[in-house]
Amino acid sequence: LDLSYRGFLGGARRVNLYLKHSALMPYSAHLRWIQPQFISTQSSITLNPFIERKSEPGFKTRTYGINVPFTYLFNDWLTSKITYYFEDVEQSVEEGDQEFSNLESDKFPYNKSGFLFTTVFDNSNPAFSPEEGFNISVGFKFNGYIFGSDFNYTRLWGDFRTYHDIGSVILAFRLMAGGISSADSSNFIPVEDRFYSGGSNSIRGWNRSELGPKRESGTPLGGKSIFETNFEVRYPLFWRLSAVAFIEAGNVWKPSYSYNLGDLGYAAGPGLRIETPIGPVRLDLGFPLWNKKTSPAFFISVGQAF
């Protein structure tokens, strides 16, 4: 449910209420007060209190807090955002999890506070299914330290995508890498900020978050380093149907900024796209390559994988 009230308190201010329920997010409620043309005509500021519960394959959390993003639009292609955030998080501890061997409760509460810096350059088009151009995004998270938090760490990542139209064939390429560094003796990183790999928008030979470190129970543990690369060939068939062939590689590692490229998981497979007014509905079948995992993964989703 997405409701907006335009002209709130006059002018171009607006209020937005966003409610969501899904298997991965049992509930999420965001209230946004948006002030455009803040300081300059190209900037805006938002107040965003929220509460949400996540139920990912590797963790379950309840979070409430506030985000205050300041956005600056340099031009139609380049946007930067600085966000202050405060979050009160409660993680549900899995029985037998060695990270919490000394914890008597099945709940692990903690606070997070810091700044998130993101920049996106995107001249790819069309929007729903790019056929040409580039999309480059970088992000840096500075949690704790002088801002007060139960944990102190930095998180850096970058994502590069390019699209080329060669006749009727579209070539799409993606490269993503990131790393997390902790300043605490415990070296602990909250589960929701760790890197995970595998899924419909990741390495499609593995289900969501399935590729990478695991707990003794077999659930995804996440890590402090990630590397992923994807390559797709997209070809129109008839009517609104198109076919895709993809090959990709990636993995997640526990240590900070540690990338063992000899330990990558590889996947390849075919896909089918059906164009709709809200973007392509896609079906993908990913087969793991050169790996002890042999069962393929099947995905139905909306929008291109990247």
Side-chain angles (χ1 to χ4, degrees), residues 188-215:
F188 181 84
I189 301 298
V191 288
E192 70 276 11
D193 274 342
R194 300 175 191 177
F195 292 113
Y196 300 87
S197 187
S200 63
N201 297 316
S202 182
I203 309 303
R204 283 165 278 182
W206 283 259
N207 289 319
R208 186 177 179 90
S209 304
E210 189 180 31
L211 178 60
K214 302 282 198 309
R215 299 182 178 89

PDB file of all heavy atoms in Angstrom, residues 188-215:
ATOM      1  N   PHE A 188      32.437  -8.165  15.249  1.00  0.00           N
ATOM      2  CA  PHE A 188      31.063  -8.544  14.927  1.00  0.00           C
ATOM      3  C   PHE A 188      30.424  -7.517  14.001  1.00  0.00           C
ATOM      4  O   PHE A 188      30.540  -6.309  14.209  1.00  0.00           O
ATOM      5  CB  PHE A 188      30.230  -8.672  16.203  1.00  0.00           C
ATOM      6  CG  PHE A 188      28.807  -9.079  15.971  1.00  0.00           C
ATOM      7  CD1 PHE A 188      28.473 -10.410  15.821  1.00  0.00           C
ATOM      8  CD2 PHE A 188      27.811  -8.115  15.891  1.00  0.00           C
ATOM      9  CE1 PHE A 188      27.149 -10.781  15.608  1.00  0.00           C
ATOM     10  CE2 PHE A 188      26.484  -8.481  15.674  1.00  0.00           C
ATOM     11  CZ  PHE A 188      26.158  -9.819  15.531  1.00  0.00           C
ATOM     12  N   ILE A 189      29.739  -8.020  12.968  1.00  0.00           N
ATOM     13  CA  ILE A 189      28.981  -7.178  12.055  1.00  0.00           C
ATOM     14  C   ILE A 189      27.515  -7.610  12.132  1.00  0.00           C
ATOM     15  O   ILE A 189      27.221  -8.803  12.021  1.00  0.00           O
ATOM     16  CB  ILE A 189      29.484  -7.323  10.603  1.00  0.00           C
ATOM     17  CG1 ILE A 189      30.965  -6.949  10.509  1.00  0.00           C
ATOM     18  CG2 ILE A 189      28.649  -6.452   9.667  1.00  0.00           C
ATOM     19  CD1 ILE A 189      31.295  -5.526  10.873  1.00  0.00           C
ATOM     20  N   PRO A 190      26.580  -6.681  12.335  1.00  0.00           N
ATOM     21  CA  PRO A 190      25.160  -7.058  12.368  1.00  0.00           C
ATOM     22  C   PRO A 190      24.764  -7.850  11.122  1.00  0.00           C
ATOM     23  O   PRO A 190      25.209  -7.549  10.010  1.00  0.00           O
ATOM     24  CB  PRO A 190      24.447  -5.703  12.421  1.00  0.00           C
ATOM     25  CG  PRO A 190      25.430  -4.802  13.093  1.00  0.00           C
ATOM     26  CD  PRO A 190      26.772  -5.244  12.605  1.00  0.00           C
ATOM     27  N   VAL A 191      23.905  -8.849  11.323  1.00  0.00           N
ATOM     28  CA  VAL A 191      23.569  -9.777  10.232  1.00  0.00           C
ATOM     29  C   VAL A 191      22.968  -9.065   9.029  1.00  0.00           C
ATOM     30  O   VAL A 191      23.211  -9.458   7.882  1.00  0.00           O
ATOM     31  CB  VAL A 191      22.615 -10.878  10.723  1.00  0.00           C
ATOM     32  CG1 VAL A 191      23.341 -11.868  11.619  1.00  0.00           C
ATOM     33  CG2 VAL A 191      21.394 -10.271  11.440  1.00  0.00           C
ATOM     34  N   GLU A 192      22.182  -8.013   9.256  1.00  0.00           N
ATOM     35  CA  GLU A 192      21.505  -7.352   8.142  1.00  0.00           C
ATOM     36  C   GLU A 192      22.456  -6.523   7.287  1.00  0.00           C
ATOM     37  O   GLU A 192      22.109  -6.123   6.171  1.00  0.00           O
ATOM     38  CB  GLU A 192      20.353  -6.480   8.651  1.00  0.00           C
ATOM     39  CG  GLU A 192      20.764  -5.238   9.418  1.00  0.00           C
ATOM     40  CD  GLU A 192      21.036  -5.486  10.892  1.00  0.00           C
ATOM     41  OE1 GLU A 192      21.106  -6.668  11.317  1.00  0.00           O
ATOM     42  OE2 GLU A 192      21.189  -4.488  11.637  1.00  0.00           O
ATOM     43  N   ASP A 193      23.659  -6.232   7.783  1.00  0.00           N
ATOM     44  CA  ASP A 193      24.627  -5.462   7.011  1.00  0.00           C
ATOM     45  C   ASP A 193      25.701  -6.335   6.368  1.00  0.00           C
ATOM     46  O   ASP A 193      26.563  -5.827   5.644  1.00  0.00           O
ATOM     47  CB  ASP A 193      25.303  -4.411   7.899  1.00  0.00           C
ATOM     48  CG  ASP A 193      24.491  -3.122   7.971  1.00  0.00           C
ATOM     49  OD1 ASP A 193      23.629  -2.931   7.091  1.00  0.00           O
ATOM     50  OD2 ASP A 193      24.707  -2.318   8.894  1.00  0.00           O
ATOM     51  N   ARG A 194      25.703  -7.630   6.639  1.00  0.00           N
ATOM     52  CA  ARG A 194      26.666  -8.523   5.997  1.00  0.00           C
ATOM     53  C   ARG A 194      26.301  -8.714   4.523  1.00  0.00           C
ATOM     54  O   ARG A 194      25.203  -8.410   4.078  1.00  0.00           O
ATOM     55  CB  ARG A 194      26.683  -9.871   6.716  1.00  0.00           C
ATOM     56  CG  ARG A 194      27.070  -9.774   8.184  1.00  0.00           C
ATOM     57  CD  ARG A 194      26.951 -11.123   8.877  1.00  0.00           C
ATOM     58  NE  ARG A 194      27.073 -10.977  10.335  1.00  0.00           N
ATOM     59  CZ  ARG A 194      26.957 -11.968  11.198  1.00  0.00           C
ATOM     60  NH1 ARG A 194      26.712 -13.203  10.762  1.00  0.00           N
ATOM     61  NH2 ARG A 194      27.069 -11.731  12.486  1.00  0.00           N
ATOM     62  N   PHE A 195      27.244  -9.249   3.773  1.00  0.00           N
ATOM     63  CA  PHE A 195      27.005  -9.546   2.371  1.00  0.00           C
ATOM     64  C   PHE A 195      26.487 -10.969   2.220  1.00  0.00           C
ATOM     65  O   PHE A 195      26.912 -11.882   2.945  1.00  0.00           O
ATOM     66  CB  PHE A 195      28.293  -9.392   1.557  1.00  0.00           C
ATOM     67  CG  PHE A 195      28.783  -7.972   1.454  1.00  0.00           C
ATOM     68  CD1 PHE A 195      29.967  -7.582   2.060  1.00  0.00           C
ATOM     69  CD2 PHE A 195      28.055  -7.026   0.756  1.00  0.00           C
ATOM     70  CE1 PHE A 195      30.428  -6.285   1.964  1.00  0.00           C
ATOM     71  CE2 PHE A 195      28.495  -5.702   0.662  1.00  0.00           C
ATOM     72  CZ  PHE A 195      29.683  -5.346   1.260  1.00  0.00           C
ATOM     73  N   TYR A 196      25.560 -11.143   1.264  1.00  0.00           N
ATOM     74  CA  TYR A 196      25.024 -12.460   0.935  1.00  0.00           C
ATOM     75  C   TYR A 196      24.986 -12.590  -0.579  1.00  0.00           C
ATOM     76  O   TYR A 196      24.837 -11.596  -1.300  1.00  0.00           O
ATOM     77  CB  TYR A 196      23.616 -12.638   1.509  1.00  0.00           C
ATOM     78  CG  TYR A 196      23.544 -12.520   3.018  1.00  0.00           C
ATOM     79  CD1 TYR A 196      23.384 -11.274   3.631  1.00  0.00           C
ATOM     80  CD2 TYR A 196      23.652 -13.639   3.830  1.00  0.00           C
ATOM     81  CE1 TYR A 196      23.331 -11.158   5.011  1.00  0.00           C
ATOM     82  CE2 TYR A 196      23.593 -13.537   5.217  1.00  0.00           C
ATOM     83  CZ  TYR A 196      23.431 -12.284   5.796  1.00  0.00           C
ATOM     84  OH  TYR A 196      23.381 -12.169   7.166  1.00  0.00           O
ATOM     85  N   SER A 197      25.091 -13.815  -1.061  1.00  0.00           N
ATOM     86  CA  SER A 197      25.105 -14.044  -2.506  1.00  0.00           C
ATOM     87  C   SER A 197      24.192 -15.213  -2.858  1.00  0.00           C
ATOM     88  O   SER A 197      24.011 -16.140  -2.067  1.00  0.00           O
ATOM     89  CB  SER A 197      26.532 -14.332  -2.990  1.00  0.00           C
ATOM     90  OG  SER A 197      26.579 -14.400  -4.403  1.00  0.00           O
ATOM     91  N   GLY A 198      23.653 -15.159  -4.057  1.00  0.00           N
ATOM     92  CA  GLY A 198      22.717 -16.175  -4.525  1.00  0.00           C
ATOM     93  C   GLY A 198      21.308 -15.627  -4.571  1.00  0.00           C
ATOM     94  O   GLY A 198      20.881 -14.906  -3.673  1.00  0.00           O
ATOM     95  N   GLY A 199      20.576 -15.936  -5.651  1.00  0.00           N
ATOM     96  CA  GLY A 199      19.210 -15.474  -5.771  1.00  0.00           C
ATOM     97  C   GLY A 199      18.905 -14.938  -7.153  1.00  0.00           C
ATOM     98  O   GLY A 199      19.756 -14.930  -8.047  1.00  0.00           O
ATOM     99  N   SER A 200      17.696 -14.455  -7.333  1.00  0.00           N
ATOM    100  CA  SER A 200      17.217 -14.051  -8.658  1.00  0.00           C
ATOM    101  C   SER A 200      17.963 -12.856  -9.229  1.00  0.00           C
ATOM    102  O   SER A 200      18.021 -12.682 -10.442  1.00  0.00           O
ATOM    103  CB  SER A 200      15.720 -13.735  -8.591  1.00  0.00           C
ATOM    104  OG  SER A 200      15.471 -12.647  -7.728  1.00  0.00           O
ATOM    105  N   ASN A 201      18.541 -12.004  -8.385  1.00  0.00           N
ATOM    106  CA  ASN A 201      19.298 -10.840  -8.844  1.00  0.00           C
ATOM    107  C   ASN A 201      20.781 -10.975  -8.526  1.00  0.00           C
ATOM    108  O   ASN A 201      21.511  -9.980  -8.498  1.00  0.00           O
ATOM    109  CB  ASN A 201      18.761  -9.570  -8.193  1.00  0.00           C
ATOM    110  CG  ASN A 201      17.332  -9.294  -8.586  1.00  0.00           C
ATOM    111  OD1 ASN A 201      16.973  -9.412  -9.754  1.00  0.00           O
ATOM    112  ND2 ASN A 201      16.504  -8.933  -7.624  1.00  0.00           N
ATOM    113  N   SER A 202      21.222 -12.189  -8.294  1.00  0.00           N
ATOM    114  CA  SER A 202      22.606 -12.435  -7.881  1.00  0.00           C
ATOM    115  C   SER A 202      23.188 -13.570  -8.727  1.00  0.00           C
ATOM    116  O   SER A 202      23.185 -13.484  -9.954  1.00  0.00           O
ATOM    117  CB  SER A 202      22.628 -12.764  -6.385  1.00  0.00           C
ATOM    118  OG  SER A 202      23.934 -12.972  -5.919  1.00  0.00           O
ATOM    119  N   ILE A 203      23.652 -14.627  -8.098  1.00  0.00           N
ATOM    120  CA  ILE A 203      24.183 -15.795  -8.801  1.00  0.00           C
ATOM    121  C   ILE A 203      23.060 -16.829  -8.847  1.00  0.00           C
ATOM    122  O   ILE A 203      22.711 -17.428  -7.826  1.00  0.00           O
ATOM    123  CB  ILE A 203      25.437 -16.347  -8.095  1.00  0.00           C
ATOM    124  CG1 ILE A 203      26.430 -15.220  -7.847  1.00  0.00           C
ATOM    125  CG2 ILE A 203      26.070 -17.449  -8.935  1.00  0.00           C
ATOM    126  CD1 ILE A 203      26.871 -14.458  -9.095  1.00  0.00           C
ATOM    127  N   ARG A 204      22.482 -17.031 -10.030  1.00  0.00           N
ATOM    128  CA  ARG A 204      21.210 -17.734 -10.141  1.00  0.00           C
ATOM    129  C   ARG A 204      21.295 -19.261 -10.111  1.00  0.00           C
ATOM    130  O   ARG A 204      20.270 -19.930 -10.262  1.00  0.00           O
ATOM    131  CB  ARG A 204      20.472 -17.260 -11.398  1.00  0.00           C
ATOM    132  CG  ARG A 204      19.834 -15.906 -11.224  1.00  0.00           C
ATOM    133  CD  ARG A 204      19.431 -15.289 -12.532  1.00  0.00           C
ATOM    134  NE  ARG A 204      20.560 -14.645 -13.187  1.00  0.00           N
ATOM    135  CZ  ARG A 204      20.472 -13.985 -14.341  1.00  0.00           C
ATOM    136  NH1 ARG A 204      19.306 -13.900 -14.965  1.00  0.00           N
ATOM    137  NH2 ARG A 204      21.541 -13.414 -14.865  1.00  0.00           N
ATOM    138  N   GLY A 205      22.471 -19.815  -9.886  1.00  0.00           N
ATOM    139  CA  GLY A 205      22.560 -21.249  -9.656  1.00  0.00           C
ATOM    140  C   GLY A 205      22.282 -21.615  -8.207  1.00  0.00           C
ATOM    141  O   GLY A 205      22.184 -22.796  -7.862  1.00  0.00           O
ATOM    142  N   TRP A 206      22.131 -20.601  -7.352  1.00  0.00           N
ATOM    143  CA  TRP A 206      21.869 -20.793  -5.923  1.00  0.00           C
ATOM    144  C   TRP A 206      20.635 -19.990  -5.540  1.00  0.00           C
ATOM    145  O   TRP A 206      20.380 -18.906  -6.078  1.00  0.00           O
ATOM    146  CB  TRP A 206      23.057 -20.321  -5.087  1.00  0.00           C
ATOM    147  CG  TRP A 206      24.201 -21.263  -5.077  1.00  0.00           C
ATOM    148  CD1 TRP A 206      24.540 -22.158  -4.093  1.00  0.00           C
ATOM    149  CD2 TRP A 206      25.218 -21.413  -6.086  1.00  0.00           C
ATOM    150  NE1 TRP A 206      25.671 -22.848  -4.432  1.00  0.00           N
ATOM    151  CE2 TRP A 206      26.112 -22.416  -5.656  1.00  0.00           C
ATOM    152  CE3 TRP A 206      25.448 -20.804  -7.332  1.00  0.00           C
ATOM    153  CZ2 TRP A 206      27.210 -22.818  -6.405  1.00  0.00           C
ATOM    154  CZ3 TRP A 206      26.532 -21.207  -8.085  1.00  0.00           C
ATOM    155  CH2 TRP A 206      27.402 -22.203  -7.622  1.00  0.00           C
ATOM    156  N   ASN A 207      19.863 -20.500  -4.589  1.00  0.00           N
ATOM    157  CA  ASN A 207      18.714 -19.769  -4.084  1.00  0.00           C
ATOM    158  C   ASN A 207      19.178 -18.580  -3.239  1.00  0.00           C
ATOM    159  O   ASN A 207      20.377 -18.406  -2.993  1.00  0.00           O
ATOM    160  CB  ASN A 207      17.818 -20.697  -3.263  1.00  0.00           C
ATOM    161  CG  ASN A 207      17.091 -21.707  -4.135  1.00  0.00           C
ATOM    162  OD1 ASN A 207      16.614 -21.378  -5.228  1.00  0.00           O
ATOM    163  ND2 ASN A 207      17.015 -22.942  -3.673  1.00  0.00           N
ATOM    164  N   ARG A 208      18.247 -17.799  -2.780  1.00  0.00           N
ATOM    165  CA  ARG A 208      18.553 -16.548  -2.079  1.00  0.00           C
ATOM    166  C   ARG A 208      19.505 -16.768  -0.907  1.00  0.00           C
ATOM    167  O   ARG A 208      19.226 -17.567   0.000  1.00  0.00           O
ATOM    168  CB  ARG A 208      17.254 -15.914  -1.580  1.00  0.00           C
ATOM    169  CG  ARG A 208      17.423 -14.533  -0.962  1.00  0.00           C
ATOM    170  CD  ARG A 208      16.079 -13.982  -0.565  1.00  0.00           C
ATOM    171  NE  ARG A 208      16.179 -12.667   0.069  1.00  0.00           N
ATOM    172  CZ  ARG A 208      16.148 -11.502  -0.558  1.00  0.00           C
ATOM    173  NH1 ARG A 208      16.008 -11.491  -1.865  1.00  0.00           N
ATOM    174  NH2 ARG A 208      16.245 -10.351   0.090  1.00  0.00           N
ATOM    175  N   SER A 209      20.641 -16.069  -0.937  1.00  0.00           N
ATOM    176  CA  SER A 209      21.661 -16.077   0.123  1.00  0.00           C
ATOM    177  C   SER A 209      22.313 -17.444   0.332  1.00  0.00           C
ATOM    178  O   SER A 209      23.033 -17.643   1.316  1.00  0.00           O
ATOM    179  CB  SER A 209      21.068 -15.596   1.460  1.00  0.00           C
ATOM    180  OG  SER A 209      20.478 -14.322   1.329  1.00  0.00           O
ATOM    181  N   GLU A 210      22.122 -18.394  -0.577  1.00  0.00           N
ATOM    182  CA  GLU A 210      22.589 -19.766  -0.380  1.00  0.00           C
ATOM    183  C   GLU A 210      24.083 -19.937  -0.654  1.00  0.00           C
ATOM    184  O   GLU A 210      24.711 -20.888  -0.164  1.00  0.00           O
ATOM    185  CB  GLU A 210      21.783 -20.693  -1.288  1.00  0.00           C
ATOM    186  CG  GLU A 210      21.989 -22.171  -1.045  1.00  0.00           C
ATOM    187  CD  GLU A 210      21.165 -23.026  -1.984  1.00  0.00           C
ATOM    188  OE1 GLU A 210      20.909 -22.603  -3.123  1.00  0.00           O
ATOM    189  OE2 GLU A 210      20.784 -24.132  -1.572  1.00  0.00           O
ATOM    190  N   LEU A 211      24.665 -19.019  -1.422  1.00  0.00           N
ATOM    191  CA  LEU A 211      26.076 -19.129  -1.790  1.00  0.00           C
ATOM    192  C   LEU A 211      26.928 -18.359  -0.786  1.00  0.00           C
ATOM    193  O   LEU A 211      26.739 -17.163  -0.568  1.00  0.00           O
ATOM    194  CB  LEU A 211      26.292 -18.572  -3.196  1.00  0.00           C
ATOM    195  CG  LEU A 211      27.731 -18.563  -3.741  1.00  0.00           C
ATOM    196  CD1 LEU A 211      28.290 -19.977  -3.803  1.00  0.00           C
ATOM    197  CD2 LEU A 211      27.771 -17.910  -5.123  1.00  0.00           C
ATOM    198  N   GLY A 212      27.884 -19.047  -0.137  1.00  0.00           N
ATOM    199  CA  GLY A 212      28.750 -18.371   0.821  1.00  0.00           C
ATOM    200  C   GLY A 212      28.819 -19.110   2.141  1.00  0.00           C
ATOM    201  O   GLY A 212      28.370 -20.253   2.260  1.00  0.00           O
ATOM    202  N   PRO A 213      29.389 -18.482   3.174  1.00  0.00           N
ATOM    203  CA  PRO A 213      29.563 -19.138   4.486  1.00  0.00           C
ATOM    204  C   PRO A 213      28.232 -19.574   5.090  1.00  0.00           C
ATOM    205  O   PRO A 213      27.209 -18.918   4.927  1.00  0.00           O
ATOM    206  CB  PRO A 213      30.223 -18.045   5.338  1.00  0.00           C
ATOM    207  CG  PRO A 213      30.823 -17.097   4.361  1.00  0.00           C
ATOM    208  CD  PRO A 213      29.942 -17.119   3.154  1.00  0.00           C
ATOM    209  N   LYS A 214      28.286 -20.683   5.824  1.00  0.00           N
ATOM    210  CA  LYS A 214      27.097 -21.232   6.469  1.00  0.00           C
ATOM    211  C   LYS A 214      27.357 -21.458   7.956  1.00  0.00           C
ATOM    212  O   LYS A 214      28.491 -21.633   8.400  1.00  0.00           O
ATOM    213  CB  LYS A 214      26.706 -22.576   5.839  1.00  0.00           C
ATOM    214  CG  LYS A 214      26.421 -22.540   4.345  1.00  0.00           C
ATOM    215  CD  LYS A 214      25.046 -21.980   4.072  1.00  0.00           C
ATOM    216  CE  LYS A 214      24.564 -22.334   2.673  1.00  0.00           C
ATOM    217  NZ  LYS A 214      25.523 -22.005   1.607  1.00  0.00           N
ATOM    218  N   ARG A 215      26.285 -21.457   8.728  1.00  0.00           N
ATOM    219  CA  ARG A 215      26.346 -21.895  10.121  1.00  0.00           C
ATOM    220  C   ARG A 215      26.359 -23.423  10.156  1.00  0.00           C
ATOM    221  O   ARG A 215      26.157 -24.085   9.130  1.00  0.00           O
ATOM    222  CB  ARG A 215      25.150 -21.361  10.904  1.00  0.00           C
ATOM    223  CG  ARG A 215      25.065 -19.845  10.961  1.00  0.00           C
ATOM    224  CD  ARG A 215      23.876 -19.413  11.801  1.00  0.00           C
ATOM    225  NE  ARG A 215      23.798 -17.952  11.912  1.00  0.00           N
ATOM    226  CZ  ARG A 215      23.141 -17.185  11.050  1.00  0.00           C
ATOM    227  NH1 ARG A 215      22.510 -17.741  10.035  1.00  0.00           N
ATOM    228  NH2 ARG A 215      23.126 -15.872  11.206  1.00  0.00           N
TER     229      ARG A 215
END
